[in-house]
Amino acid sequence: MTAVRSATYYRPVDVARLLGQFPPTPEQASVIQAPLEPAVVIAGAGSGKTETMAARVVWLVANGLVSPERILGLTFTRKAAGELQQRIRARLKALYRVLGRDGSGMPADAAGEPTVLTYAAYAGRLVDEHGIVLGREPGSRLLTEAARWQVADAVVRHYDGDFSLVPGVISTVTERVLDLASQLSDHLATPHQVRELERRLRAELQPLPLKPRSRSREWPEIVEKLLDSLTRRNELLPLVELFAEQKRLDGLLDFSDHMVLASRLASIEPVAAIERSRYDVVLLDEYQDTGFAQIQMLSGLFADGRAVTAVGDPLQSIYSWRGASAGNIGRFSERFRTVAGQPATVYPLMTSWRNDRAILQVANLVAEPLRRPGELALQPRPDAPPGDVRAAYLDTVVSEASWLAGQLRAEWDARQDWTAGQRTMAVLVRKRSGIALLAQAIRQAGLPVEVVDIGGLLTLPEIADVRAVLTVLADHNAGGSLARLLTGARW
């Protein structure tokens, strides 16, 4: 540690009072003042985890336990990283002003600030700084998603191999190649391992008393689908290998490559030692969505007993398709142990500040089958209003849209507690295909509508026409878009 403990000890409630903020709850205070050792925080939806993480940073700095620049925060999106960085920066500036004004004295190195990055950005920085150890020259160009598609598309178009099953059109094959390449990277697997898995599965199916579909209808459909998927995946592997080779020849990397290389670098002790020398405290946001490669990178670098705090909620794990698992956060305690070899401490953060009581009750009921034994349910804040939950099961989607529009219209007219000029309501949908119908019904009810999701925006007729024109200009073989234009009202 480079910081020196300040003469005055501040409790979490003291720091909140100095900054003119609401005092933390007992749950939040336990997390904020946790010892400098590994810990995992199970934070339910709306429980104020970002606020608590920022408060922990400020509390550590206020008490001189850690210098700001020796704190690393990682999260998934640039937006989340920016919000956390901005919140921490504002709090630290306010803290320095208060400590300097009341004569308590500012901590040493008050001019620094923590490093807050996305997991992908941190992996990229690791590769840029240490990639030479793996033979990677610095300055490799990072592919955007569009450029990545172009490289894969060129590989697919020039491929002269054979397929035993029809793979689909070029765009479909390109999409599947990119998806398989990402899956391999997320799981740190190789094409050779996938081929070995296919051979093993086929060998296990061979002795079973299953009749081929050409002789009998008794062939189980699930086995047929499994064999077809094995064949399709195996026939894509040469394209995945060509895609990787093309990137290597052109000196290109994508985000998946960064994570694979970063996980390998984390296992090299001199590289890990350099990273450990930079940071004493590490905050890992949305840990339930970390994949296998990310966990390998993080544990290789920081699972040495230092103060790593993971924050997440297993009930909000949504990235299983890229290697994440809700069980990751449950296994954190075993993977990140203290210096004495003890499992990391688990802290609950289950008071929801976002939801009314009725809404929270329904949410807990829906999530109950997903909750493992011993996991706590979200609790309402002490002053939470009762809330209102309504449900309807209607015959058609048109009736449903009309009912919803009527509910929103009535709420719009009846509510008296709107902030002046800021009346807003939101509608969440499970499928994009329903956005256009809902938007139309709400407009007919006399309410202004803004479609936020770009997928739903693309389904609006006027936008779909513009998109069809652009698609035909780029590719005259785009039959669907051409048919839309030729059968439409304009031509």
Side-chain angles (χ1 to χ4, degrees):
M1 301 292 180
T2 58
V4 179
R5 190 181 184 94
S6 60
T8 303
Y9 175 74
Y10 299 100
R11 299 170 302 167
V13 67
D14 298 329
V15 176
R17 186 175 62 252
L18 285 173
L19 301 183
Q21 298 169 337
F22 290 107
T25 65
E27 279 185 338
Q28 292 174 319
S30 297
V31 175
I32 293 169
Q33 61 186 357
L36 289 173
E37 60 185 23
V40 56
V41 181
I42 307 300
S47 60
K49 63 183 181 67
T50 303
E51 173 66 28
T52 304
M53 292 169 65
R56 175 160 173 77
V57 170
V58 176
W59 179 83
L60 290 170
V61 174
N63 286 288
L65 297 173
V66 181
S67 297
E69 68 275 8
R70 297 190 63 79
I71 299 174
L72 172 66
L74 298 178
T75 188
F76 267 97
T77 66
R78 288 191 294 269
K79 179 182 179 182
E83 289 176 351
L84 180 59
Q85 177 85 19
Q86 181 62 31
R87 189 173 303 196
I88 292 174
R89 182 182 294 134
R91 300 287 172 80
L92 288 178
K93 287 182 178 179
L95 177 71
Y96 298 152
R97 286 197 300 269
V98 172
L99 295 184
R101 185 174 63 246
D102 66 9
S104 301
M106 292 188 294
D109 303 325
E113 67 177 33
T115 299
V116 182
L117 300 169
T118 65
Y119 289 102
Y122 180 71
R125 196 180 75 174
L126 203 65
V127 173
D128 288 342
E129 294 184 5
H130 306 289
I132 191 68
V133 176
L134 299 176
R136 288 282 178 175
E137 294 292 336
S140 295
R141 184 163 67 91
L142 182 63
L143 287 170
T144 63
E145 284 301 311
R148 185 171 180 258
W149 177 280
Q150 289 178 322
V151 174
D153 180 73
V155 168
V156 171
R157 289 179 183 275
H158 293 90
Y159 182 62
D160 57 1
D162 296 324
F163 294 94
S164 59
L165 296 176
V166 178
V169 298
I170 290 178
S171 60
T172 300
V173 178
T174 301
E175 183 177 351
R176 290 175 177 169
V177 168
L178 291 173
D179 180 62
L180 183 54
S182 296
Q183 290 281 345
L184 293 178
S185 297
D186 291 337
H187 293 84
L188 298 181
T190 64
H192 173 72
Q193 290 174 314
V194 175
R195 291 189 177 99
E196 288 297 318
L197 174 63
E198 185 210 13
R199 281 192 282 268
R200 179 172 62 80
L201 290 176
R202 289 187 183 277
E204 292 177 356
L205 288 172
Q206 187 64 33
L208 296 179
L210 303 173
K211 297 180 181 180
R213 53 188 151 179
S214 59
R215 299 180 184 176
S216 170
R217 293 173 179 260
E218 297 178 9
W219 184 274
E221 183 179 358
I222 189 172
V223 177
E224 179 181 330
K225 289 183 178 180
L226 173 60
L227 292 175
D228 283 352
S229 67
L230 291 175
T231 300
R232 293 182 187 278
R233 186 171 62 186
N234 190 57
E235 292 180 344
L236 287 176
L237 288 175
L239 285 164
V240 173
E241 292 171 321
L242 289 172
F243 175 57
E245 178 64 15
Q246 189 62 51
K247 288 189 295 181
R248 188 189 66 81
L249 292 175
D250 295 341
L252 304 173
L253 292 174
D254 56 26
F255 288 111
S256 296
D257 297 326
H258 271 172
M259 196 56 67
V260 172
L261 293 172
S263 63
R264 291 172 59 188
L265 288 168
S267 65
I268 301 174
E269 184 54 35
V271 175
I274 292 174
E275 291 302 303
R276 291 169 188 157
S277 68
R278 293 174 173 173
Y279 306 111
D280 296 323
V281 172
V282 181
L283 303 174
L284 306 177
D285 190 21
E286 304 290 3
Y287 190 81
Q288 79 280 350
D289 286 328
T290 51
F292 180 71
Q294 292 166 326
I295 292 175
Q296 290 295 105
M297 175 189 72
L298 296 170
S299 60
L301 294 175
F302 303 121
D304 62 341
R306 71 187 53 241
V308 179
T309 301
V311 184
D313 181 4
L315 297 185
Q316 297 185 63
S317 181
I318 60 175
Y319 291 115
S320 59
W321 51 271
R322 71 178 186 195
S325 169
N328 285 343
I329 196 166
R331 292 186 288 269
F332 178 90
S333 293
E334 297 299 323
R335 187 180 287 267
F336 291 81
R337 291 176 170 265
T338 66
V339 175
Q342 298 299 314
T345 306
V346 180
Y347 295 92
L349 203 60
M350 303 303 292
T351 299
S352 176
W353 300 92
R354 182 184 302 160
N355 300 297
D356 297 343
R357 293 180 181 274
I359 295 173
L360 203 56
Q361 185 178 3
V362 172
N364 283 331
L365 185 63
V366 172
E368 182 61 34
L370 303 176
R371 195 173 290 114
R372 295 183 301 179
E375 287 185 348
L376 301 175
L378 277 169
Q379 302 299 318
R381 67 185 189 273
D383 60 340
D388 185 18
V389 177
R390 305 174 193 176
Y393 189 81
L394 303 169
D395 294 334
T396 66
V397 292
V398 175
S399 300
E400 182 178 323
S402 178
W403 176 85
L404 179 61
Q407 294 290 315
L408 294 176
R409 179 77 252 186
E411 186 76 8
W412 185 275
D413 294 335
R415 287 279 293 271
Q416 302 296 323
D417 58 344
W418 299 98
T419 302
Q422 295 183 3
R423 292 192 293 179
T424 60
M425 296 183 289
V427 178
L428 307 181
V429 298
R430 292 181 63 87
K431 295 182 179 180
R432 292 175 175 174
S433 58
I435 292 179
L437 178 61
L438 288 172
Q440 181 181 5
I442 296 172
R443 287 194 185 98
Q444 289 175 349
L447 296 177
V449 177
E450 177 186 3
V451 179
V452 177
D453 181 81
I454 189 171
L457 183 65
L458 293 177
T459 64
L460 296 178
E462 58 272 27
I463 303 300
D465 285 344
V466 173
R467 187 186 183 196
V469 172
L470 297 174
T471 302
V472 172
L473 290 175
D475 180 10
H476 67 278
N477 290 318
S481 297
L482 184 60
R484 180 182 182 90
L485 296 179
L486 296 180
T487 59
R490 186 174 296 275
W491 292 287

